[in-house]
Every structure is written in structure tokens, then in C-alpha cells.
Amino acid sequence: MPDMDVALKDAMQIDGAIGVALVDRSSGMALGVAGGDRNFDLTVAAAANTEVVRAKLRTMEMLGLRESIEDVLITLDSQYHLIRPLTGRSGQGLFLYLALYKERANLALARHQLKRIESNLDI
């Protein structure tokens, strides 16, 4: 099973990838990052998207939904942002965050590839 560094490198091979981070939901800390640039700080994005995940989990609890989040999609003018909580026992409380350039990405394929990476990830 791939470790975190291999998984992050695999995610950067997804068409349109800007950057990816493995994030601890309880602290908002990025445990690992790949990609990004001076205009796109992945550690800031990771921390901020922790609040997105927490808000969705609170909403689901208030609604009494007994389901899990497969992924969260945020669509901007020029980018897709995918958040995928890890489901494996070793990944509880972690999520993958992937930012993509919209014009270069195939959203369905990116979601499929991120799911594969998540399922093979060994933390």
C-alpha cells in the first residue's frame, strides 16, 4: 500500500492538479502537501477547508443523517476543490484535499482517481 508521499505524488498526476494535501480534521494541520505555488498556499487552504468538513458533519448530525461524506466539491470560476475524508481505520479524522484547474480537469475522472488513491493509502 502506498504511503503518504506516494499518494500525494499520485494525486498530482491527476489532470489539472494544482496541489494536494493530507489534512488532520481535528487540528486543520496539513500532514503532507504536494504542489501549490506562491499564490496558492496549501497549508492555509487545508486549515480553512477543515471548517468546511466540520460544518457539513454538524449539519448532517442536526439533520439526523446516518451517512458518511464521500466527497465535497467546491466549484470556483476556474478551479475545482475536492475534499475526500479517509474511510479506512488508519485514516479516521483525515481527509485528502485536491485543487484542480477546471479547464484541464475531468471532474468525474479526478473523483475516481482520488477514490482509488484514498483506498490504497496506508497511514
Side-chain angles (χ1 to χ4, degrees):
M1 292 193 156
D3 68 1
M4 177 181 59
D5 291 331
V6 172
L8 294 174
K9 287 177 186 173
D10 285 348
M12 285 303 297
Q13 298 306 307
I14 296 172
D15 286 342
I18 300 169
V20 62
L22 179 65
V23 185
D24 175 15
R25 187 177 72 216
S26 63
S27 68
M29 187 169 95
L31 304 176
V33 297
D37 60 32
R38 62 183 172 86
N39 296 319
F40 195 93
D41 187 334
L42 281 164
T43 57
V44 171
N49 280 298
T50 299
E51 292 304 316
V52 172
V53 174
R54 289 178 186 161
K56 186 59 191 172
L57 289 170
R58 279 192 309 271
T59 302
M60 290 169 57
E61 184 178 340
M62 288 188 294
L63 294 172
L65 297 175
R66 304 271 185 250
E67 302 205 26
S68 59
I69 299 171
E70 184 173 336
D71 59 32
V72 176
L73 169 63
I74 300 166
T75 305
L76 306 178
D77 292 337
S78 65
Q79 298 174 2
Y80 294 126
H81 292 235
L82 282 170
I83 301 168
R84 182 168 187 88
L86 302 188
T87 57
R89 190 174 61 220
S90 66
Q92 289 297 315
L94 303 178
F95 65 88
L96 283 167
Y97 165 66
L98 175 66
L100 302 158
Y101 289 114
K102 201 175 188 180
E103 79 247 2
R104 293 181 28 217
N106 176 321
L107 183 56
L109 187 55
R111 289 181 70 220
H112 176 73
Q113 290 172 308
L114 199 59
K115 181 179 181 178
R116 178 189 49 79
I117 291 166
E118 183 259 331
S119 69
N120 291 326
L121 184 60
D122 187 25
I123 304 291

